[in-house]
CSV table of all heavy atoms in Angstrom, one decimal:
chain,number,residue,atom,x,y,z
A,243,TYR,N,26.6,8.4,30.4
A,243,TYR,CA,27.7,9.0,29.8
A,243,TYR,C,27.6,9.0,28.3
A,243,TYR,O,27.8,10.1,27.6
A,243,TYR,CB,29.0,8.2,30.2
A,243,TYR,CG,30.1,8.3,29.2
A,243,TYR,CD1,30.9,9.4,29.1
A,243,TYR,CD2,30.3,7.2,28.3
A,243,TYR,CE1,31.9,9.4,28.1
A,243,TYR,CE2,31.3,7.2,27.4
A,243,TYR,CZ,32.1,8.3,27.3
A,243,TYR,OH,33.1,8.3,26.3
A,244,THR,N,27.2,7.9,27.7
A,244,THR,CA,27.0,7.8,26.2
A,244,THR,C,25.9,8.6,25.7
A,244,THR,O,25.9,9.3,24.7
A,244,THR,CB,26.9,6.3,25.8
A,244,THR,OG1,27.9,5.5,26.3
A,244,THR,CG2,26.9,6.1,24.3
A,245,LEU,N,24.8,8.6,26.5
A,245,LEU,CA,23.6,9.4,26.1
A,245,LEU,C,23.9,10.9,26.1
A,245,LEU,O,23.5,11.6,25.2
A,245,LEU,CB,22.4,9.1,27.1
A,245,LEU,CG,21.1,9.8,26.8
A,245,LEU,CD1,20.6,9.4,25.4
A,245,LEU,CD2,20.1,9.5,27.8
A,246,ASP,N,24.7,11.3,27.0
A,246,ASP,CA,25.1,12.7,27.0
A,246,ASP,C,25.9,13.1,25.7
A,246,ASP,O,25.7,14.2,25.1
A,246,ASP,CB,26.0,13.1,28.2
A,246,ASP,CG,25.2,13.2,29.5
A,246,ASP,OD1,24.0,13.2,29.4
A,246,ASP,OD2,25.8,13.3,30.6
A,247,LEU,N,26.8,12.2,25.3
A,247,LEU,CA,27.5,12.5,24.1
A,247,LEU,C,26.6,12.5,22.8
A,247,LEU,O,26.7,13.3,22.0
A,247,LEU,CB,28.6,11.4,23.9
A,247,LEU,CG,29.9,11.5,24.8
A,247,LEU,CD1,30.8,10.3,24.5
A,247,LEU,CD2,30.6,12.8,24.6
A,248,VAL,N,25.7,11.5,22.8
A,248,VAL,CA,24.8,11.4,21.7
A,248,VAL,C,23.8,12.6,21.6
A,248,VAL,O,23.6,13.2,20.6
A,248,VAL,CB,24.0,10.0,21.7
A,248,VAL,CG1,22.9,10.0,20.7
A,248,VAL,CG2,24.9,8.9,21.5
A,249,THR,N,23.4,13.0,22.8
A,249,THR,CA,22.5,14.1,22.9
A,249,THR,C,23.2,15.4,22.5
A,249,THR,O,22.5,16.3,21.9
A,249,THR,CB,21.9,14.3,24.4
A,249,THR,OG1,21.2,13.1,24.7
A,249,THR,CG2,21.0,15.4,24.5
A,250,PHE,N,24.5,15.5,22.7
A,250,PHE,CA,25.2,16.7,22.3
A,250,PHE,C,25.1,16.8,20.7
A,250,PHE,O,24.9,17.9,20.2
A,250,PHE,CB,26.7,16.6,22.7
A,250,PHE,CG,27.6,17.6,22.1
A,250,PHE,CD1,27.6,18.9,22.7
A,250,PHE,CD2,28.4,17.3,21.0
A,250,PHE,CE1,28.4,19.8,22.1
A,250,PHE,CE2,29.2,18.3,20.5
A,250,PHE,CZ,29.3,19.5,21.0
A,251,PHE,N,25.3,15.6,20.1
A,251,PHE,CA,25.2,15.6,18.6
A,251,PHE,C,23.8,16.0,18.1
A,251,PHE,O,23.6,16.8,17.2
A,251,PHE,CB,25.6,14.3,18.0
A,251,PHE,CG,27.1,14.1,17.9
A,251,PHE,CD1,27.8,13.5,19.0
A,251,PHE,CD2,27.8,14.6,16.9
A,251,PHE,CE1,29.2,13.4,18.9
A,251,PHE,CE2,29.2,14.5,16.8
A,251,PHE,CZ,29.9,13.9,17.9
A,252,TYR,N,22.8,15.4,18.8
A,252,TYR,CA,21.4,15.6,18.4
A,252,TYR,C,21.0,17.1,18.6
A,252,TYR,O,20.4,17.7,17.7
A,252,TYR,CB,20.5,14.7,19.2
A,252,TYR,CG,19.1,14.7,18.8
A,252,TYR,CD1,18.7,14.1,17.6
A,252,TYR,CD2,18.1,15.5,19.5
A,252,TYR,CE1,17.4,14.1,17.1
A,252,TYR,CE2,16.8,15.5,19.0
A,252,TYR,CZ,16.4,14.8,17.8
A,252,TYR,OH,15.1,14.8,17.4
A,253,SER,N,21.4,17.7,19.7
A,253,SER,CA,21.1,19.1,20.0
A,253,SER,C,21.8,20.1,19.1
A,253,SER,O,21.4,21.2,19.0
A,253,SER,CB,21.2,19.4,21.5
A,253,SER,OG,22.6,19.3,21.9
A,254,ASN,N,22.9,19.6,18.5
A,254,ASN,CA,23.7,20.5,17.6
A,254,ASN,C,23.6,20.1,16.1
A,254,ASN,O,24.4,20.4,15.3
A,254,ASN,CB,25.2,20.4,18.0
A,254,ASN,CG,25.4,21.2,19.3
A,254,ASN,OD1,25.4,22.5,19.2
A,254,ASN,ND2,25.6,20.6,20.4
A,255,LYS,N,22.5,19.3,15.8
A,255,LYS,CA,22.4,18.8,14.5
A,255,LYS,C,22.4,19.9,13.4
A,255,LYS,O,22.9,19.6,12.3
A,255,LYS,CB,21.2,17.8,14.3
A,255,LYS,CG,19.8,18.4,14.6
A,255,LYS,CD,18.7,17.3,14.6
A,255,LYS,CE,17.4,17.9,15.0
A,255,LYS,NZ,16.4,16.8,14.9
A,256,SER,N,21.8,21.0,13.6
A,256,SER,CA,21.8,22.1,12.6
A,256,SER,C,23.2,22.6,12.4
A,256,SER,O,23.6,22.8,11.3
A,256,SER,CB,20.8,23.2,12.9
A,256,SER,OG,21.2,23.8,14.2
A,257,ARG,N,24.0,22.8,13.5
A,257,ARG,CA,25.4,23.2,13.4
A,257,ARG,C,26.2,22.2,12.6
A,257,ARG,O,27.0,22.5,11.8
A,257,ARG,CB,26.0,23.5,14.7
A,257,ARG,CG,25.7,24.9,15.2
A,257,ARG,CD,26.7,25.4,16.2
A,257,ARG,NE,26.7,24.6,17.5
A,257,ARG,CZ,27.6,24.8,18.4
A,257,ARG,NH1,28.6,25.6,18.3
A,257,ARG,NH2,27.5,24.1,19.5
A,258,ILE,N,26.0,20.9,13.0
A,258,ILE,CA,26.7,19.8,12.3
A,258,ILE,C,26.4,19.8,10.8
A,258,ILE,O,27.3,19.6,10.0
A,258,ILE,CB,26.4,18.5,13.0
A,258,ILE,CG1,27.0,18.4,14.4
A,258,ILE,CG2,27.0,17.3,12.2
A,258,ILE,CD1,26.6,17.3,15.3
A,259,LYS,N,25.2,20.0,10.5
A,259,LYS,CA,24.8,20.0,9.1
A,259,LYS,C,25.5,21.1,8.3
A,259,LYS,O,26.1,20.9,7.2
A,259,LYS,CB,23.3,20.1,9.0
A,259,LYS,CG,22.7,20.0,7.6
A,259,LYS,CD,21.2,20.1,7.6
A,259,LYS,CE,20.6,19.7,6.3
A,259,LYS,NZ,20.5,20.8,5.3
A,260,ILE,N,25.5,22.3,8.9
A,260,ILE,CA,26.1,23.4,8.3
A,260,ILE,C,27.6,23.2,8.2
A,260,ILE,O,28.2,23.4,7.1
A,260,ILE,CB,25.9,24.7,9.1
A,260,ILE,CG1,24.5,25.2,9.0
A,260,ILE,CG2,26.9,25.8,8.8
A,260,ILE,CD1,24.0,26.1,10.0
A,261,LEU,N,28.3,22.6,9.2
A,261,LEU,CA,29.7,22.4,9.2
A,261,LEU,C,30.1,21.3,8.2
A,261,LEU,O,31.2,21.4,7.6
A,261,LEU,CB,30.2,22.1,10.6
A,261,LEU,CG,30.2,23.3,11.6
A,261,LEU,CD1,30.4,22.9,13.0
A,261,LEU,CD2,31.2,24.4,11.2
A,262,THR,N,29.3,20.3,8.1
A,262,THR,CA,29.7,19.2,7.1
A,262,THR,C,29.4,19.6,5.7
A,262,THR,O,30.1,19.3,4.8
A,262,THR,CB,28.9,17.9,7.4
A,262,THR,OG1,27.5,18.2,7.6
A,262,THR,CG2,29.4,17.3,8.8
A,263,GLU,N,28.3,20.4,5.5
A,263,GLU,CA,28.0,20.9,4.1
A,263,GLU,C,28.8,22.0,3.6
A,263,GLU,O,29.0,22.2,2.4
A,263,GLU,CB,26.5,21.2,4.1
A,263,GLU,CG,25.6,20.0,4.1
A,263,GLU,CD,24.1,20.4,4.1
A,263,GLU,OE1,23.8,21.6,4.1
A,263,GLU,OE2,23.3,19.4,4.1
A,264,SER,N,29.3,22.8,4.6
A,264,SER,CA,30.2,24.0,4.2
A,264,SER,C,31.6,23.6,4.1
A,264,SER,O,32.4,24.4,3.7
A,264,SER,CB,29.9,25.1,5.2
A,264,SER,OG,28.6,25.5,5.3
A,265,SER,N,32.0,22.4,4.6
A,265,SER,CA,33.4,22.0,4.5
A,265,SER,C,33.4,20.6,4.1
A,265,SER,O,32.4,20.1,3.5
A,265,SER,CB,34.1,22.2,5.8
A,265,SER,OG,33.4,21.5,6.8
A,266,ASP,N,34.4,19.9,4.3
A,266,ASP,CA,34.5,18.5,4.0
A,266,ASP,C,34.0,17.6,5.1
A,266,ASP,O,34.5,17.6,6.2
A,266,ASP,CB,36.0,18.2,3.7
A,266,ASP,CG,36.3,16.7,3.3
A,266,ASP,OD1,35.3,15.9,3.2
A,266,ASP,OD2,37.4,16.4,2.9
A,267,GLU,N,32.9,16.9,4.8
A,267,GLU,CA,32.2,16.1,5.8
A,267,GLU,C,33.2,15.1,6.4
A,267,GLU,O,33.2,14.9,7.6
A,267,GLU,CB,31.0,15.3,5.2
A,267,GLU,CG,30.3,14.4,6.2
A,267,GLU,CD,29.3,13.5,5.5
A,267,GLU,OE1,28.8,13.9,4.5
A,267,GLU,OE2,29.0,12.4,6.1
A,268,VAL,N,34.0,14.4,5.6
A,268,VAL,CA,34.9,13.4,6.1
A,268,VAL,C,35.9,14.0,7.0
A,268,VAL,O,36.2,13.5,8.1
A,268,VAL,CB,35.6,12.7,4.9
A,268,VAL,CG1,36.7,11.7,5.4
A,268,VAL,CG2,34.6,11.9,4.0
A,269,ALA,N,36.5,15.1,6.6
A,269,ALA,CA,37.5,15.8,7.5
A,269,ALA,C,36.8,16.2,8.8
A,269,ALA,O,37.4,16.1,9.9
A,269,ALA,CB,38.0,17.0,6.8
A,270,PHE,N,35.6,16.7,8.8
A,270,PHE,CA,34.9,17.2,10.0
A,270,PHE,C,34.7,16.0,11.0
A,270,PHE,O,35.1,16.0,12.1
A,270,PHE,CB,33.6,17.8,9.7
A,270,PHE,CG,32.8,18.2,10.9
A,270,PHE,CD1,33.1,19.2,11.7
A,270,PHE,CD2,31.6,17.5,11.1
A,270,PHE,CE1,32.4,19.5,12.8
A,270,PHE,CE2,30.8,17.8,12.2
A,270,PHE,CZ,31.2,18.8,13.1
A,271,MET,N,34.2,14.9,10.4
A,271,MET,CA,34.0,13.7,11.2
A,271,MET,C,35.3,13.1,11.7
A,271,MET,O,35.4,12.5,12.8
A,271,MET,CB,33.2,12.6,10.5
A,271,MET,CG,31.8,13.0,10.2
A,271,MET,SD,30.9,13.2,11.8
A,271,MET,CE,29.2,13.5,11.1
A,272,ASP,N,36.4,13.2,10.9
A,272,ASP,CA,37.7,12.6,11.3
A,272,ASP,C,38.3,13.5,12.5
A,272,ASP,O,38.9,12.9,13.4
A,272,ASP,CB,38.7,12.7,10.1
A,272,ASP,CG,38.4,11.5,9.2
A,272,ASP,OD1,37.7,10.6,9.6
A,272,ASP,OD2,39.0,11.6,8.1
A,273,ILE,N,38.0,14.8,12.5
A,273,ILE,CA,38.5,15.6,13.6
A,273,ILE,C,37.8,15.2,14.9
A,273,ILE,O,38.4,15.1,15.9
A,273,ILE,CB,38.2,17.1,13.3
A,273,ILE,CG1,39.1,17.6,12.1
A,273,ILE,CG2,38.5,18.0,14.5
A,273,ILE,CD1,38.7,19.0,11.6
A,274,LEU,N,36.5,15.0,14.8
A,274,LEU,CA,35.7,14.6,16.0
A,274,LEU,C,36.2,13.2,16.5
A,274,LEU,O,36.3,13.0,17.6
A,274,LEU,CB,34.2,14.5,15.6
A,274,LEU,CG,33.5,15.8,15.3
A,274,LEU,CD1,32.0,15.6,15.0
A,274,LEU,CD2,33.7,16.9,16.4
A,275,HIS,N,36.4,12.3,15.5
A,275,HIS,CA,36.9,11.0,15.9
A,275,HIS,C,38.3,11.1,16.6
A,275,HIS,O,38.5,10.4,17.6
A,275,HIS,CB,37.0,10.1,14.7
A,275,HIS,CG,37.6,8.7,15.0
A,275,HIS,ND1,38.8,8.3,14.4
A,275,HIS,CD2,37.2,7.7,15.8
A,275,HIS,CE1,39.1,7.1,14.8
A,275,HIS,NE2,38.1,6.8,15.7
A,276,SER,N,39.1,11.8,16.0
A,276,SER,CA,40.5,12.0,16.6
A,276,SER,C,40.4,12.5,18.0
A,276,SER,O,41.1,12.0,18.9
A,276,SER,CB,41.3,12.9,15.7
A,276,SER,OG,42.6,13.2,16.3
A,277,THR,N,39.6,13.5,18.3
A,277,THR,CA,39.4,14.1,19.6
A,277,THR,C,38.9,13.0,20.6
A,277,THR,O,39.3,12.8,21.7
A,277,THR,CB,38.4,15.3,19.6
A,277,THR,OG1,38.9,16.2,18.6
A,277,THR,CG2,38.3,15.9,20.9
A,278,TYR,N,37.8,12.3,20.1
A,278,TYR,CA,37.2,11.2,20.9
A,278,TYR,C,38.2,10.1,21.2
A,278,TYR,O,38.4,9.7,22.4
A,278,TYR,CB,36.0,10.7,20.2
A,278,TYR,CG,35.3,9.5,20.9
A,278,TYR,CD1,34.7,9.7,22.1
A,278,TYR,CD2,35.2,8.3,20.2
A,278,TYR,CE1,34.0,8.6,22.7
A,278,TYR,CE2,34.5,7.2,20.8
A,278,TYR,CZ,33.9,7.4,22.1
A,278,TYR,OH,33.3,6.4,22.7
A,279,TYR,N,38.9,9.7,20.2
A,279,TYR,CA,40.0,8.6,20.4
A,279,TYR,C,41.0,9.0,21.4
A,279,TYR,O,41.4,8.2,22.3
A,279,TYR,CB,40.6,8.4,19.0
A,279,TYR,CG,41.9,7.5,19.1
A,279,TYR,CD1,41.8,6.2,19.2
A,279,TYR,CD2,43.1,8.2,19.1
A,279,TYR,CE1,43.0,5.4,19.3
A,279,TYR,CE2,44.3,7.4,19.2
A,279,TYR,CZ,44.2,6.0,19.3
A,279,TYR,OH,45.4,5.3,19.4
A,280,ASN,N,41.5,10.3,21.3
A,280,ASN,CA,42.6,10.7,22.3
A,280,ASN,C,42.1,10.6,23.7
A,280,ASN,O,42.8,10.2,24.6
A,280,ASN,CB,43.0,12.1,21.9
A,280,ASN,CG,43.9,12.1,20.7
A,280,ASN,OD1,44.5,11.1,20.3
A,280,ASN,ND2,43.8,13.2,19.9
Side-chain angles (χ1 to χ4, degrees):
Y243 150 81
T244 307
L245 182 60
D246 283 350
L247 287 178
V248 170
T249 302
F250 172 79
F251 281 92
Y252 189 75
S253 63
N254 284 287
K255 59 186 178 181
S256 62
R257 274 204 295 173
I258 291 169
K259 185 174 191 279
I260 287 165
L261 290 168
T262 53
E263 289 178 357
S264 301
S265 57
D266 182 353
E267 178 188 335
V268 174
F270 175 69
M271 290 298 185
D272 283 346
I273 291 168
L274 296 180
H275 174 244
S276 177
T277 305
Y278 178 61
Y279 167 83
N280 288 332

